[in-house]
Amino acid sequence: MTDLQRQRLLVTRTLPQASQARLDKGFKDVDIVQWKEDCAIPRSEFLKMAKGADGILCLLTDNIDAEVLNAAGPQLKVVSTMSVGYDHVNVPELESRNIALGITPGVLTEATADTTVLLVLAAARRMRESMDAVTHGKWGAWSPTWLLGSQLTDKTVGIVGLGRIGVAVAKRLKAFGVQKFLYQGTRRKEESEKTIGGEIEFVAMERLLKESDVICVCCALNDKTKNMFNYSAFSKMKGSVVFVNTARGGIVDQDGLIRALKEGKLGSVGLDVTVPEPLPKDSELLSFSNCIVLPHIGSATLETRTAMSEIAIENVLSGMKRERLPFPHDA
Ligand code: GLV
């Protein structure tokens, strides 16, 4: 006889230690199935393992579309992604089936803002060329003219997307002596302007591109922002610009970026996100000494990843009970 009380939870990856220990201990009336290999769950396995799931705890590497939902079946109640971004989830499909979607907002703001600042400084101060010089025996006597970068003092910084992360980036960069912030997004955000303080202005994109010494991409990927930074946008930037993207690779038209880099139109670039991920090691993007690429580590601190996985667990457990999620995607 089947036990009508029992629910099935699919977890698509091994979680950070503390959260994994909770899973290993188990939850009352929940059967857990989990992909534990050290790689993203292959699509065919995902479709097989999703069958009969009441809840799915997934990652940003898992594409949640109609095929997965069909494979799971009509009992599926909740998808909980261990990420703040949910561009990998087909939200209308979930809504039409009354499946809740949980995300992990707030807890990764600080770590991701730290990574953004890390890339701004690393790109502006020519970190890649400097490290290469040391490891390749090109370090000569101290020179007044060698490896000169730029600094943030008195500069104008453009932030695209003044959400939680955008605000946290601006607050950090302000401490480096930035003179003025320009920002772009869906609307003016007076509260955020006050939190950041000092000179800050909501401006048209054209002006942000033209006047910013540093541009940080901190917005979500959606239909409006996809390929927003194309060759034409790069051509409008200052030739010395420091361009940093820690949001999603799809916001940048990578061919346009490569062309702009080839033509020497950009000062330096720092990316934590690309298309695809992982970026193949023969990608032309890796051939520019003024372009630093990190492997999507924005939120990768033990503290943050643990907080994210704990929220993802709470979301999925609530959703399986048909309770309101602590962190729904529209929170
Ligand atoms: C990371 O990129 C996230 O969306 O959480």
Side-chain angles (χ1 to χ4, degrees):
M1 209 171 75
T2 51
D3 182 349
L4 292 176
Q5 291 275 299
R6 291 200 79 76
Q7 301 225 30
R8 183 179 164 93
L9 166 62
L10 167 61
V11 183
T12 64
R13 203 67 180 268
T14 304
L15 300 184
Q17 206 177 13
S19 306
Q20 185 60 44
R22 277 182 79 193
L23 292 185
D24 292 342
K25 236 171 117 193
F27 304 109
K28 191 168 177 297
D29 298 327
V30 177
D31 294 321
I32 300 175
V33 281
Q34 187 172 18
W35 177 257
K36 281 192 170 173
E37 302 298 317
D38 194 20
C39 63
I41 186 169
R43 184 75 178 174
S44 56
E45 285 302 319
F46 191 16
L47 294 175
K48 262 192 256 162
M49 289 173 81
K51 194 169 164 14
D54 297 277
I56 298 178
L57 194 165
C58 68
L59 310 182
L60 56 83
T61 44
D62 305 319
N63 188 15
I64 308 291
D65 56 8
E67 190 181 25
V68 169
L69 305 182
N70 289 339
Q75 76 298 324
L76 182 64
K77 298 172 192 69
V78 56
V79 171
S80 166
T81 180
M82 189 188 142
S83 61
V84 69
Y86 51 93
D87 46 284
H88 55 295
V89 179
N90 186 331
V91 179
E93 236 354 289
L94 259 67
E95 284 174 348
S96 73
R97 299 170 192 233
N98 194 25
I99 297 169
L101 171 61
I103 60 169
T104 64
V107 291
L108 47 74
T109 305
E110 311 302 331
T112 310
D114 288 351
T115 305
T116 308
V117 174
L118 170 76
L119 277 173
V120 168
L121 293 175
R125 297 300 300 271
R126 305 176 61 173
M127 182 93 159
R128 175 172 174 184
E129 290 162 87
S130 300
M131 292 182 74
D132 284 352
V134 175
T135 38
H136 296 135
K138 301 245 168 66
W139 183 6
W142 187 91
S143 156
T145 55
W146 190 46
L147 284 172
L148 306 189
S150 62
Q151 64 195 61
L152 288 158
T153 330
D154 298 331
K155 294 287 164 53
T156 296
V157 172
I159 309 253
V160 179
L162 200 65
R164 293 183 193 87
I165 296 171
V167 169
V169 167
K171 278 161 79 179
R172 282 161 171 70
L173 291 183
K174 202 165 168 234
F176 288 85
V178 167
Q179 192 207 337
K180 183 175 185 174
F181 290 97
L182 304 176
Y183 73 97
Q184 239 304 299
T186 46
R187 61 181 173 86
R188 184 168 173 206
K189 298 198 166 166
E190 292 179 44
E191 276 311 305
S192 305
E193 287 180 17
K194 275 194 215 128
T195 312
I196 295 161
E199 238 189 293
I200 173 156
E201 214 182 320
F202 180 55
V203 295
M205 192 62 157
E206 294 282 311
R207 194 170 147 211
L208 184 146
L209 298 177
K210 228 170 101 199
E211 294 182 16
S212 300
D213 298 296
V214 174
I215 295 178
C216 298
V217 183
C218 300
C219 59
L221 170 63
N222 54 41
D223 291 345
K224 289 208 180 75
T225 60
K226 192 168 185 320
N227 291 332
M228 180 189 234
F229 288 95
N230 53 19
Y231 178 73
S232 155
F234 289 120
S235 303
K236 289 176 187 147
M237 295 178 189
K238 291 188 178 182
S240 56
V241 75
V242 177
F243 176 80
V244 168
N245 183 10
T246 49
R248 284 290 182 271
I251 299 166
V252 170
D253 165 17
Q254 227 158 258
D255 291 339
L257 173 60
I258 289 170
R259 182 172 164 207
L261 277 164
K262 263 192 196 151
E263 293 175 7
K265 284 193 183 310
L266 306 171
S268 53
V269 173
L271 306 172
D272 184 44
V273 286
T274 57
V275 177
E277 290 178 10
L279 189 68
K281 77 174 198 305
D282 59 355
S283 165
E284 216 177 344
L285 204 49
L286 298 176
S287 65
F288 303 98
S289 60
N290 58 342
C291 178
I292 295 175
V293 182
L294 297 179
H296 203 151
I297 56 159
S299 65
T301 65
L302 180 59
E303 299 92 322
T304 289
R305 288 286 168 83
T306 303
M308 289 167 74
S309 54
E310 285 297 297
I311 288 180
I313 290 176
E314 294 313 319
N315 271 336
V316 84
L317 292 178
S318 301
M320 284 163 67
K321 288 186 232 145
R322 281 273 184 228
E323 288 169 1
R324 188 177 155 68
L325 306 197
F327 294 95
H329 75 286
D330 51 3

